[in-house]
Amino acid sequence: MARPVWSGVITFGLVTVPVRMYAATEDHTTHFHQLQRGTNDRVRNKRINERTGKRVEYDDIVKGYEIAEGEYVTVEPEELAEIAPGKSQVIDVSGFVEAAEIDPVHYVRAYYLSPSGDQYGKPYELLRAALAESEKTGIATFVMHSKEYLVALRAGEEALTLHTLHWADEVRDPREELPELPSRERSGSKELKTAQQLVESMSIPFRPEEYTDTYEDRVRALIEAKANGEEVTPAEGPPEATNVVDLSEALNRSIERARSGKPEPRRRSGTKAGSGSKARSGSKAGSGSKGRGAGKGRSTPRKGPALTELSKDELYQRATEQGVKGRSKMSRKQLLEALDGSREAA
């Protein structure tokens, strides 16, 4: 059961709803410790006084704002809390807007809200249902950890969700930040119509569970391979940029591919796909991790494109899943033959 990161009340009009707030997401990134090269010695960060070189205890640290070189105004945590009396416990809804009015660039982080007790369930559900029926989003402010947030309050299927937002002066203007922006595409142009057809042909329902973090999978595979003393196959380079002259052809071929449902290999910029450096053998570092697929046996071949249409990197992933021995030293042709053999044996 998750622990609340904040508790207080939502106020809209004359209605007050006590709530608790919980983080709606979690990070699945593989985290590493810092070690001194050539050893297993951890490297630690310490709080050091810049002038004396002596260590400083956490309780002796205060916030300081530099008003001139070497001159600071210090502020205590209690002083920051005092300038927002009572506000730190209130999500103050100032109005309701259409969800589409909020540019996604403003969204920062998501939280779930729950009623603070059974007795507050009715006003909580009333607010959630009202937002769902009206398809509106509440705009509010509140203070957490001595920082004020602009937030969007939305109705989920089961619970209210709160999204922290960037303030207007935190969002950069692309016209000022980007060095080169093309002129607007002429409405009704042949290429624009073709591009719109491509968008329509590739339109799908959003199912987030169908997407996985392949980089994280490769990081965990790298750790396992190095723990077993195996060589590592580097990833291929990114696809080549589409030539402006070939743009119409590329769009039309993309539409045909989308309609047929058959993937077409993309041209990739050249990278050396040679073997990686040999790692030292050792105990399995990844055996106790919570990575996806940890502890599972060999997987069965997946349905999808033919093996001959896959890149070497994709073939290597299949070989890893099926436990093909010696895969780290195989060429693309050898990977194809090994996977064909394992499929026939299955």
Side-chain angles (χ1 to χ4, degrees):
M1 184 68 70
R3 292 183 178 182
V5 297
W6 182 90
S7 62
V9 298
I10 301 172
T11 62
F12 61 107
L14 298 178
V15 180
T16 298
V17 185
V19 294
R20 298 189 182 101
M21 187 166 72
Y22 301 82
T25 60
E26 61 183 1
D27 182 20
H28 67 204
T29 302
T30 300
H31 296 283
F32 294 92
H33 293 299
Q34 292 182 326
L35 307 177
Q36 182 176 354
R37 191 184 301 278
T39 74
N40 283 328
D41 300 335
R42 291 277 300 275
V43 176
R44 305 280 185 176
N45 294 321
K46 296 182 179 180
R47 302 177 181 88
I48 302 297
N49 184 305
E50 188 179 69
R51 180 178 57 83
T52 65
K54 295 181 179 179
R55 186 172 180 176
V56 180
E57 297 299 326
Y58 181 79
D59 290 340
D60 293 329
I61 297 176
V62 296
K63 295 180 183 290
Y65 184 85
E66 190 172 26
I67 57 176
E69 188 174 353
E71 185 178 351
Y72 296 86
V73 171
T74 59
V75 180
E76 298 287 345
E78 297 79 10
E79 294 177 306
L80 292 172
E82 287 172 359
I83 63 176
K87 201 174 181 182
S88 62
Q89 299 299 313
V90 178
I91 298 174
D92 186 14
V93 178
S94 58
F96 298 92
V97 302
E98 299 288 344
E101 292 184 57
I102 306 174
D103 189 324
V105 74
H106 284 273
Y107 287 107
V108 182
R109 191 172 182 185
Y111 297 88
Y112 292 133
L113 297 176
S114 75
S116 292
D118 293 340
Q119 66 271 36
Y120 306 119
K122 183 172 179 60
Y124 172 91
E125 173 56 22
L126 186 64
L127 174 58
R128 190 207 65 80
L131 290 176
E133 292 292 332
S134 63
E135 298 184 346
K136 295 283 189 179
T137 295
I139 300 298
T141 56
F142 84 112
V143 173
M144 179 171 63
H145 305 315
S146 300
K147 183 178 178 181
E148 187 170 19
Y149 291 89
L150 177 67
V151 299
L153 193 64
R154 306 179 67 174
E157 290 187 8
E158 303 293 338
L160 286 171
T161 59
L162 180 145
H163 301 264
T164 55
L165 305 174
H166 286 293
W167 298 95
D169 62 355
E170 293 179 324
V171 178
R172 294 176 174 177
D173 186 340
R175 293 169 296 182
E176 297 177 0
E177 301 296 331
L178 305 183
E180 296 178 4
L181 283 175
S183 57
R184 292 293 184 94
E185 179 68 24
R186 182 170 53 85
S187 178
S189 70
K190 182 179 178 181
E191 288 179 341
L192 178 57
K193 290 180 178 178
T194 307
Q196 290 172 331
Q197 288 178 352
L198 175 58
V199 171
E200 287 298 323
S201 65
M202 294 181 65
S203 295
I204 58 173
F206 178 52
R207 298 189 180 97
E209 66 276 4
E210 294 181 358
Y211 300 86
T212 59
D213 187 343
T214 56
Y215 174 71
E216 270 303 304
D217 291 340
R218 289 189 62 80
V219 169
R220 289 165 185 161
L222 169 65
I223 293 172
E224 183 178 356
K226 296 197 74 171
N228 294 331
E230 297 178 355
E231 294 180 350
V232 180
T233 302
E236 293 186 1
E240 294 178 355
T242 303
N243 192 310
V244 176
V245 178
D246 301 330
L247 183 57
S248 295
E249 180 188 352
L251 287 168
N252 286 317
R253 289 176 61 189
S254 298
I255 293 172
E256 292 173 5
R257 185 181 67 176
R259 288 173 176 170
S260 67
K262 181 179 179 181
E264 180 178 308
R266 293 185 295 179
R267 293 177 297 172
R268 294 182 177 269
S269 55
T271 57
K272 282 192 175 181
S275 60
S277 59
K278 281 192 176 182
R280 292 170 299 174
S281 60
S283 61
K284 279 193 177 181
S287 59
S289 66
K290 296 191 293 181
R292 286 187 292 273
K296 293 182 180 179
R298 294 181 183 179
S299 61
T300 57
R302 298 175 294 182
K303 293 182 179 179
L307 292 177
T308 54
E309 296 174 346
L310 300 180
S311 65
K312 182 183 178 182
D313 184 50
E314 291 167 328
L315 291 170
Y316 182 81
Q317 288 286 352
R318 294 283 183 96
T320 301
E321 293 172 357
Q322 297 179 35
V324 175
K325 294 182 179 180
R327 59 187 178 275
S328 61
K329 298 181 181 179
M330 292 183 182
S331 64
R332 184 178 181 279
K333 182 179 179 181
Q334 291 170 327
L335 286 168
L336 271 172
E337 293 173 350
L339 289 169
D340 274 332
S342 63
R343 186 159 57 182
E344 290 173 3

